[in-house]
Amino acid sequence: MSGHEYEPSAEERLIARHFRPLATHPGALGLGDDAAVLTPPSGCDLVLTTDGVIAGVHFFPDDPPDKIGRKALRMNLSDLAAKGARPVGFLLALALPAATDEAWLAAFAAGLAEDAARYDCPLFGGDTDRTPGPASVSIAAFGAVPHGRMVRRSTAKIGDCVVVTGTIGDAALGVELRRGEGRRDPAERWRLTAAMAAHLRQRYLLPEPRNAIAEAVLRHATAAMDVSDGLAGDLAKLCRASSVAAEIDVARLPLSEAARTALAAEPALIETVLTGGDDYEIVLALAPKDLAAFCAAARAAGVPATEIGRIAAGRGARFIHDGRTLAFARPSFSHF
Ligand code: ADP
Ligand code: MG
């Protein structure tokens, strides 16, 4: 009697075809075992984070599939960068509607493969389910920092400079543009050129996590956090964790030309810029003596960094514009 030859299921074939190419670390075992195995780099702590996206909540169901996986991975990479960690790998849990076709999956996986290679962050495993609900892409990522050195939110010191990377508010304005399609076009109201509107939309679709300066953050920051729910609310969280206040000069906020143009047409958009979310920049506190070295390292890495204010005694993050403190109806993006 011959033994039973096991044929791979459709699910196994799907995983092998689309996801095995991303599993380049030997510990992933080619996605062929129940679990993966990882020896932490010697002398390092593992930094763990998870974040995901759901169709209709974090992306539009008709967004290009290659961008969806990349966005989910980049949200996690941004957390690692803010903690001064270098990426080691990630896990991927997918819940997909029955209507998801092969072309969608192929594009989704190809986008993810591109970023896994770009950020040197291979896939270690995951889970794939069908769902009666909207598509959901959940990622858990892990990074490495020298033992005991993960950069925290809770360690900012009075007198520190506050620095933010990149520009803020672009993605929040990009979402407004996307939502405004078919109605009275916000791009027109804000007097944006086509290139400016494209810039804002792109910043929402695909964030640029600042992993290139993770090492500089590790070396110089006294405290840091990922800006994902709006600078106003996120900086307030850092202040609360550190039991300090922050005084931010609104005139010094780094804004793209597109955001500046929109703000000139509609000054009330400052609230969207500061509370809208999806920036995936890093806000950090550092000692004034380290500011020049940090900015030089950021420049060398091609990441803009701008000093926007100071850490002070007290509570809360104050955004000061023409001598007055801005008040926000809703300081931070929150799902609840
Ligand atoms: P289990 O039954 O133990 O949950 P699965 O059959 O779900 O295992 O998965 C088999 C293998 O395929 C595992 O190594 C798992 O990590 C991997 N895998 C499943 N789905 C994905 C995915 N979306 N991305 C990466 N690896 C996956
Ligand atoms: Mg499983």
Side-chain angles (χ1 to χ4, degrees):
M1 206 172 96
S2 71
H4 176 69
E5 180 103 22
Y6 176 76
E7 287 293 324
S9 68
E11 185 179 315
E12 284 174 291
R13 278 185 274 120
L14 178 157
I15 291 163
R17 184 174 328 127
H18 296 298
F19 296 121
R20 194 184 290 151
L22 285 68
T24 50
H25 190 284
L29 306 172
L31 306 181
D33 209 318
D34 299 308
V37 62
L38 171 68
T39 307
S42 87
C44 283
D45 291 339
L46 286 180
V47 175
L48 312 174
T49 185
T50 183
D51 237 319
V53 294
I54 300 171
V57 180
H58 306 90
F59 65 92
F60 294 85
D62 59 338
D63 277 347
D66 61 308
K67 301 290 193 304
I68 295 166
R70 293 172 77 189
K71 181 168 181 174
L73 181 56
R74 288 174 178 218
M75 289 160 74
N76 285 274
L77 287 166
S78 186
D79 277 325
L80 295 181
K83 301 298 97 183
R86 73 174 167 77
V88 170
F90 72 105
L91 299 168
L92 170 68
L94 287 176
L96 301 171
T100 310
D101 62 17
E102 184 69 23
W104 192 98
L105 257 178
F108 172 86
L112 210 46
E114 188 180 328
D115 274 0
R118 171 176 308 182
Y119 294 97
D120 199 10
C121 189
L123 179 61
F124 275 76
D127 190 31
T128 308
D129 294 313
R130 284 261 178 255
T131 174
S136 150
V137 179
S138 184
I139 285 181
F142 21 101
V145 288
H147 176 59
R149 296 277 311 284
M150 188 185 89
V151 181
R152 317 243 175 140
R153 293 180 181 181
S154 57
T155 41
K157 300 281 175 291
I158 293 165
D160 280 351
C161 302
V162 178
V163 170
V164 69
T165 61
T167 57
I168 58 151
D170 294 329
L173 295 172
V175 175
E176 291 299 311
L177 288 183
R178 187 75 199 266
R179 287 206 192 102
E181 275 168 8
R183 293 186 241 156
R184 201 183 147 218
D185 192 359
E188 228 168 85
R189 223 167 59 224
W190 300 345
R191 302 194 193 100
L192 303 180
T193 64
M196 289 176 187
H199 169 80
L200 298 179
R201 287 163 187 276
Q202 176 65 16
R203 288 273 284 162
Y204 172 70
L205 202 54
L206 194 62
E208 295 284 341
R210 303 306 188 176
N211 300 80
I213 58 159
E215 212 177 304
V217 170
L218 181 68
R219 184 166 309 153
H220 299 295
T222 52
M225 88 179 268
D226 167 51
V227 182
S228 56
D229 293 332
L231 181 64
D234 285 343
L235 188 55
K237 287 176 195 164
L238 184 143
C239 286
R240 197 184 316 127
S242 294
S243 302
V244 295
E247 288 174 0
I248 303 304
D249 182 355
V250 170
R252 294 167 80 180
L253 292 174
L255 301 173
S256 66
E257 197 195 351
R260 274 184 204 291
T261 303
L263 272 172
E266 216 171 294
L269 285 173
I270 190 69
E271 173 140 2
T272 305
V273 164
L274 284 171
T275 68
D278 269 329
D279 290 306
Y280 303 105
E281 297 293 349
I282 301 173
V283 64
L284 56 142
L286 46 76
K289 69 170 175 53
D290 293 327
L291 181 64
F294 178 79
C295 290
R299 212 173 306 119
V303 177
T306 308
E307 188 198 1
I308 56 171
R310 286 292 167 119
I311 298 292
R315 291 283 177 275
R318 294 173 52 206
F319 286 79
I320 302 160
H321 189 49
D322 290 336
R324 288 184 309 140
T325 300
L326 299 182
F328 303 115
R330 198 190 64 164
S332 184
F333 180 80
S334 168
H335 288 285
F336 296 96

